[in-house]
Amino acid sequence: MQARLLDGIPRVTPRALDDGEIAGYREQGFLHLKGVLTAAEVERYRTAAARAYEELSSLDADNQMFRQIVQVWKSDETLRELTLHPGLADYAAQLAGLPVRLWHDQLLIKKPHNHTPTEFHQDSPYWPHSDGRHQLSAWVALVDVPVERGCMTFIPGSHKRQDLRAIDLTDAHDLFEAAPDLAYEPRVTVPLRAGDCTFHNGYLAHTANANDTDEFRYAMVNIYVDAETRYNGAPHPCTDPLGLTVGEVLPDEEFPRFR
Ligand SMILES: O=C(O)CCC(=O)C(=O)O
């Protein structure tokens, strides 16, 4: 991959994904891309994530699963670059096959030996959206994330199940109570090197291990949705304070469009 300077930081130039990668994503619901961030970017954003862990408030301070800091792009100038990263957004639009906007970002930081996996769930049922033709997340590793540090495991093809309720991601059994057949589907675990990412469809069932190492697990997740997605009025921390009207297209100033 080629790297070039952008705002003084070496960045990888995004490439056109090949037909196999796009077809694989559509069929399996996820894609692993290696080296989407340069070593300089990883260092810059991991340092900023460590600072955010200390300084920014999280959704639930008592959450042992991870510290979940959402909408980081609004409060941290450095991490804003990562949320609005043109290469990641470009890949998201290629995989979605349509123009996308940011729904929200989130730092998901698992402290050492947290003993708490993120249990199987789908993402899209949590979101207050209607008319969205596609939702997907870029899960970006800011440190090496082997299985023992809390990498992701996917159930390939489970994104075709779009009829499920929102799952309790603290309950290891809840997804399989809602969809017993999924318990017998093969699973794919994807350890990542720092600077790698996976994209996963918003309906893909996934889990992440506990962090059983002595190091923090720093991951940044950028969530992209169809640019024409509308607000459906359901409660969500990212839309509750905004006073949106049910049925309106998500506003650009809060949920930036990419292309
Ligand atoms: O990183 C984790 O622990 C879970 C991530 C996740 O569920 C997601 O990105 O949708």
Side-chain angles (χ1 to χ4, degrees), residues 8-24:
I9 311 157
R11 284 194 170 166
V12 177
T13 307
R15 60 182 174 81
L17 297 173
D18 66 38
D19 291 348
E21 289 172 314
I22 292 178

Side-chain angles (χ1 to χ4, degrees), residues 66 108 110 118 121 123 139 152 200 206 208 217 221:
F66 39 50
L108 296 180
K110 283 187 188 272
T118 313
H121 63 282
D123 298 328
W139 195 104
M152 296 270 272
H200 69 268
H206 57 279
R217 188 210 72 176
V221 184

Side-chain angles (χ1 to χ4, degrees), residues 61-74:
D62 297 327
N63 187 344
Q64 293 304 307
M65 188 180 293
F66 39 50
R67 184 163 294 182
Q68 181 179 19
I69 307 174
V70 300
Q71 301 294 48
V72 190
W73 69 282
K74 294 186 176 183

Side-chain angles (χ1 to χ4, degrees), residues 200-259:
H200 69 268
N201 184 297
Y203 283 102
L204 191 73
H206 57 279
T207 179
N209 302 67
N211 180 1
D212 196 23
T213 72
D214 296 338
E215 309 293 329
F216 278 80
R217 188 210 72 176
Y218 292 106
M220 175 69 143
V221 184
N222 290 348
I223 307 173
Y224 307 93
V225 295
D226 177 357
E228 299 311 316
T229 299
R230 293 173 188 275
Y231 172 62
N232 76 1
H236 190 280
C238 293
T239 39
D240 292 349
L242 301 180
L244 303 182
T245 305
V246 172
E248 76 169 288
V249 173
L250 294 177
D252 293 355
E253 61 280 9
E254 299 288 344
F255 308 100
R257 281 178 190 258
F258 291 101
R259 71 172 209 201

